[in-house]
PDB file of all heavy atoms in Angstrom:
ATOM      1  N   MET A 245     -32.459  56.665  15.167  1.00  0.00           N
ATOM      2  CA  MET A 245     -31.593  55.561  15.025  1.00  0.00           C
ATOM      3  C   MET A 245     -30.345  55.862  14.179  1.00  0.00           C
ATOM      4  O   MET A 245     -29.179  55.671  14.509  1.00  0.00           O
ATOM      5  CB  MET A 245     -32.323  54.386  14.351  1.00  0.00           C
ATOM      6  CG  MET A 245     -31.529  53.120  14.151  1.00  0.00           C
ATOM      7  SD  MET A 245     -31.069  52.279  15.645  1.00  0.00           S
ATOM      8  CE  MET A 245     -30.086  50.990  15.037  1.00  0.00           C
ATOM      9  N   HIS A 246     -30.637  56.568  13.041  1.00  0.00           N
ATOM     10  CA  HIS A 246     -29.611  56.985  12.126  1.00  0.00           C
ATOM     11  C   HIS A 246     -28.677  57.963  12.779  1.00  0.00           C
ATOM     12  O   HIS A 246     -27.431  57.905  12.734  1.00  0.00           O
ATOM     13  CB  HIS A 246     -30.209  57.562  10.868  1.00  0.00           C
ATOM     14  CG  HIS A 246     -29.153  58.075   9.938  1.00  0.00           C
ATOM     15  ND1 HIS A 246     -28.285  57.216   9.171  1.00  0.00           N
ATOM     16  CD2 HIS A 246     -28.785  59.259   9.503  1.00  0.00           C
ATOM     17  CE1 HIS A 246     -27.479  57.875   8.428  1.00  0.00           C
ATOM     18  NE2 HIS A 246     -27.743  59.189   8.613  1.00  0.00           N
ATOM     19  N   ASP A 247     -29.255  58.963  13.510  1.00  0.00           N
ATOM     20  CA  ASP A 247     -28.487  59.936  14.238  1.00  0.00           C
ATOM     21  C   ASP A 247     -27.589  59.275  15.227  1.00  0.00           C
ATOM     22  O   ASP A 247     -26.422  59.680  15.445  1.00  0.00           O
ATOM     23  CB  ASP A 247     -29.432  60.952  15.022  1.00  0.00           C
ATOM     24  CG  ASP A 247     -30.067  61.896  13.961  1.00  0.00           C
ATOM     25  OD1 ASP A 247     -29.557  61.880  12.797  1.00  0.00           O
ATOM     26  OD2 ASP A 247     -31.063  62.571  14.294  1.00  0.00           O
ATOM     27  N   LYS A 248     -28.111  58.317  15.933  1.00  0.00           N
ATOM     28  CA  LYS A 248     -27.347  57.605  16.948  1.00  0.00           C
ATOM     29  C   LYS A 248     -26.137  56.902  16.347  1.00  0.00           C
ATOM     30  O   LYS A 248     -24.983  56.960  16.888  1.00  0.00           O
ATOM     31  CB  LYS A 248     -28.222  56.505  17.587  1.00  0.00           C
ATOM     32  CG  LYS A 248     -27.661  56.036  18.943  1.00  0.00           C
ATOM     33  CD  LYS A 248     -28.641  55.061  19.537  1.00  0.00           C
ATOM     34  CE  LYS A 248     -27.980  54.328  20.713  1.00  0.00           C
ATOM     35  NZ  LYS A 248     -28.855  53.287  21.256  1.00  0.00           N
ATOM     36  N   GLN A 249     -26.287  56.274  15.142  1.00  0.00           N
ATOM     37  CA  GLN A 249     -25.227  55.680  14.443  1.00  0.00           C
ATOM     38  C   GLN A 249     -24.145  56.672  14.026  1.00  0.00           C
ATOM     39  O   GLN A 249     -22.912  56.452  14.173  1.00  0.00           O
ATOM     40  CB  GLN A 249     -25.744  54.974  13.190  1.00  0.00           C
ATOM     41  CG  GLN A 249     -26.326  53.628  13.458  1.00  0.00           C
ATOM     42  CD  GLN A 249     -26.746  52.845  12.184  1.00  0.00           C
ATOM     43  OE1 GLN A 249     -26.868  53.485  11.117  1.00  0.00           O
ATOM     44  NE2 GLN A 249     -26.950  51.649  12.296  1.00  0.00           N
ATOM     45  N   VAL A 250     -24.620  57.776  13.507  1.00  0.00           N
ATOM     46  CA  VAL A 250     -23.634  58.881  13.112  1.00  0.00           C
ATOM     47  C   VAL A 250     -22.874  59.394  14.317  1.00  0.00           C
ATOM     48  O   VAL A 250     -21.621  59.434  14.226  1.00  0.00           O
ATOM     49  CB  VAL A 250     -24.468  59.992  12.405  1.00  0.00           C
ATOM     50  CG1 VAL A 250     -23.507  61.187  12.110  1.00  0.00           C
ATOM     51  CG2 VAL A 250     -25.059  59.584  11.080  1.00  0.00           C
ATOM     52  N   ARG A 251     -23.615  59.605  15.441  1.00  0.00           N
ATOM     53  CA  ARG A 251     -22.917  60.095  16.583  1.00  0.00           C
ATOM     54  C   ARG A 251     -21.835  59.014  17.091  1.00  0.00           C
ATOM     55  O   ARG A 251     -20.708  59.418  17.433  1.00  0.00           O
ATOM     56  CB  ARG A 251     -23.879  60.357  17.685  1.00  0.00           C
ATOM     57  CG  ARG A 251     -24.524  61.741  17.597  1.00  0.00           C
ATOM     58  CD  ARG A 251     -25.057  62.117  18.950  1.00  0.00           C
ATOM     59  NE  ARG A 251     -26.127  61.270  19.479  1.00  0.00           N
ATOM     60  CZ  ARG A 251     -27.333  61.289  19.186  1.00  0.00           C
ATOM     61  NH1 ARG A 251     -27.837  62.191  18.350  1.00  0.00           N
ATOM     62  NH2 ARG A 251     -28.251  60.407  19.674  1.00  0.00           N
ATOM     63  N   ARG A 252     -22.252  57.816  17.064  1.00  0.00           N
ATOM     64  CA  ARG A 252     -21.302  56.768  17.505  1.00  0.00           C
ATOM     65  C   ARG A 252     -20.138  56.635  16.594  1.00  0.00           C
ATOM     66  O   ARG A 252     -18.983  56.542  17.076  1.00  0.00           O
ATOM     67  CB  ARG A 252     -22.059  55.407  17.484  1.00  0.00           C
ATOM     68  CG  ARG A 252     -21.282  54.345  18.230  1.00  0.00           C
ATOM     69  CD  ARG A 252     -21.946  53.011  18.234  1.00  0.00           C
ATOM     70  NE  ARG A 252     -21.921  52.526  16.906  1.00  0.00           N
ATOM     71  CZ  ARG A 252     -22.855  51.762  16.328  1.00  0.00           C
ATOM     72  NH1 ARG A 252     -23.986  51.425  17.068  1.00  0.00           N
ATOM     73  NH2 ARG A 252     -22.804  51.306  15.077  1.00  0.00           N
ATOM     74  N   ARG A 253     -20.334  56.739  15.345  1.00  0.00           N
ATOM     75  CA  ARG A 253     -19.185  56.661  14.326  1.00  0.00           C
ATOM     76  C   ARG A 253     -18.298  57.807  14.551  1.00  0.00           C
ATOM     77  O   ARG A 253     -17.018  57.604  14.607  1.00  0.00           O
ATOM     78  CB  ARG A 253     -19.808  56.730  12.910  1.00  0.00           C
ATOM     79  CG  ARG A 253     -18.792  56.442  11.811  1.00  0.00           C
ATOM     80  CD  ARG A 253     -19.471  56.491  10.453  1.00  0.00           C
ATOM     81  NE  ARG A 253     -19.749  57.833  10.140  1.00  0.00           N
ATOM     82  CZ  ARG A 253     -20.939  58.160   9.487  1.00  0.00           C
ATOM     83  NH1 ARG A 253     -21.791  57.241   9.190  1.00  0.00           N
ATOM     84  NH2 ARG A 253     -21.230  59.429   9.266  1.00  0.00           N
ATOM     85  N   ARG A 254     -18.749  58.990  14.700  1.00  0.00           N
ATOM     86  CA  ARG A 254     -17.980  60.136  14.929  1.00  0.00           C
ATOM     87  C   ARG A 254     -17.188  60.044  16.283  1.00  0.00           C
ATOM     88  O   ARG A 254     -16.023  60.474  16.380  1.00  0.00           O
ATOM     89  CB  ARG A 254     -18.767  61.419  14.895  1.00  0.00           C
ATOM     90  CG  ARG A 254     -19.201  61.816  13.514  1.00  0.00           C
ATOM     91  CD  ARG A 254     -20.073  62.967  13.291  1.00  0.00           C
ATOM     92  NE  ARG A 254     -20.517  63.249  12.030  1.00  0.00           N
ATOM     93  CZ  ARG A 254     -21.444  64.126  11.725  1.00  0.00           C
ATOM     94  NH1 ARG A 254     -22.095  64.809  12.684  1.00  0.00           N
ATOM     95  NH2 ARG A 254     -21.787  64.309  10.509  1.00  0.00           N
TER      96      ARG A 254
ATOM     97  N   MET B 196     -26.482  50.285  21.832  1.00  0.00           N
ATOM     98  CA  MET B 196     -25.680  49.320  21.070  1.00  0.00           C
ATOM     99  C   MET B 196     -24.279  49.765  20.969  1.00  0.00           C
ATOM    100  O   MET B 196     -23.932  50.916  20.565  1.00  0.00           O
ATOM    101  CB  MET B 196     -26.303  49.196  19.623  1.00  0.00           C
ATOM    102  CG  MET B 196     -25.765  48.022  18.883  1.00  0.00           C
ATOM    103  SD  MET B 196     -26.666  47.649  17.393  1.00  0.00           S
ATOM    104  CE  MET B 196     -26.395  49.041  16.410  1.00  0.00           C
ATOM    105  N   SER B 251     -17.081  52.589   7.323  1.00  0.00           N
ATOM    106  CA  SER B 251     -16.121  53.546   7.864  1.00  0.00           C
ATOM    107  C   SER B 251     -15.770  53.217   9.199  1.00  0.00           C
ATOM    108  O   SER B 251     -14.562  53.346   9.620  1.00  0.00           O
ATOM    109  CB  SER B 251     -16.735  54.942   7.862  1.00  0.00           C
ATOM    110  OG  SER B 251     -17.940  54.900   8.591  1.00  0.00           O
ATOM    111  N   ARG B 289     -16.546  55.592   4.139  1.00  0.00           N
ATOM    112  CA  ARG B 289     -17.538  56.587   3.815  1.00  0.00           C
ATOM    113  C   ARG B 289     -17.847  56.529   2.380  1.00  0.00           C
ATOM    114  O   ARG B 289     -19.043  56.683   1.973  1.00  0.00           O
ATOM    115  CB  ARG B 289     -17.040  57.958   4.263  1.00  0.00           C
ATOM    116  CG  ARG B 289     -16.919  58.237   5.680  1.00  0.00           C
ATOM    117  CD  ARG B 289     -18.302  58.040   6.305  1.00  0.00           C
ATOM    118  NE  ARG B 289     -19.190  59.074   6.009  1.00  0.00           N
ATOM    119  CZ  ARG B 289     -20.497  59.011   6.168  1.00  0.00           C
ATOM    120  NH1 ARG B 289     -21.052  57.911   6.662  1.00  0.00           N
ATOM    121  NH2 ARG B 289     -21.315  60.015   5.915  1.00  0.00           N
ATOM    122  N   GLU B 292     -20.339  53.833   1.998  1.00  0.00           N
ATOM    123  CA  GLU B 292     -21.622  54.149   2.602  1.00  0.00           C
ATOM    124  C   GLU B 292     -22.373  55.146   1.871  1.00  0.00           C
ATOM    125  O   GLU B 292     -23.640  55.124   1.735  1.00  0.00           O
ATOM    126  CB  GLU B 292     -21.416  54.607   4.050  1.00  0.00           C
ATOM    127  CG  GLU B 292     -20.995  53.531   5.009  1.00  0.00           C
ATOM    128  CD  GLU B 292     -20.273  53.976   6.303  1.00  0.00           C
ATOM    129  OE1 GLU B 292     -20.157  55.210   6.426  1.00  0.00           O
ATOM    130  OE2 GLU B 292     -19.910  53.116   7.063  1.00  0.00           O
ATOM    131  N   LEU B 293     -21.696  56.128   1.304  1.00  0.00           N
ATOM    132  CA  LEU B 293     -22.397  57.305   0.627  1.00  0.00           C
ATOM    133  C   LEU B 293     -22.668  56.989  -0.840  1.00  0.00           C
ATOM    134  O   LEU B 293     -23.715  57.299  -1.407  1.00  0.00           O
ATOM    135  CB  LEU B 293     -21.533  58.574   0.731  1.00  0.00           C
ATOM    136  CG  LEU B 293     -21.375  59.097   2.115  1.00  0.00           C
ATOM    137  CD1 LEU B 293     -20.369  60.260   2.133  1.00  0.00           C
ATOM    138  CD2 LEU B 293     -22.687  59.590   2.690  1.00  0.00           C
ATOM    139  N   ARG B 369     -28.196  46.314   0.724  1.00  0.00           N
ATOM    140  CA  ARG B 369     -27.689  46.798  -0.585  1.00  0.00           C
ATOM    141  C   ARG B 369     -26.890  45.715  -1.295  1.00  0.00           C
ATOM    142  O   ARG B 369     -26.973  45.506  -2.559  1.00  0.00           O
ATOM    143  CB  ARG B 369     -26.759  47.992  -0.319  1.00  0.00           C
ATOM    144  CG  ARG B 369     -27.550  49.240  -0.161  1.00  0.00           C
ATOM    145  CD  ARG B 369     -26.665  50.352   0.156  1.00  0.00           C
ATOM    146  NE  ARG B 369     -25.805  50.140   1.327  1.00  0.00           N
ATOM    147  CZ  ARG B 369     -24.958  50.997   1.808  1.00  0.00           C
ATOM    148  NH1 ARG B 369     -24.887  52.231   1.312  1.00  0.00           N
ATOM    149  NH2 ARG B 369     -24.229  50.778   2.889  1.00  0.00           N
TER     150      ARG B 369
END
Side-chain angles (χ1 to χ4, degrees):
Chain A
M245 180 67 183
H246 179 69
D247 286 347
K248 198 177 168 186
Q249 278 184 343
V250 171
R251 276 202 301 274
R252 194 183 66 213
R253 190 180 66 221
R254 287 177 182 167
Chain B
M196 195 167 64
S251 58
R289 288 302 288 159
E292 288 159 1
L293 295 173
R369 281 179 301 187

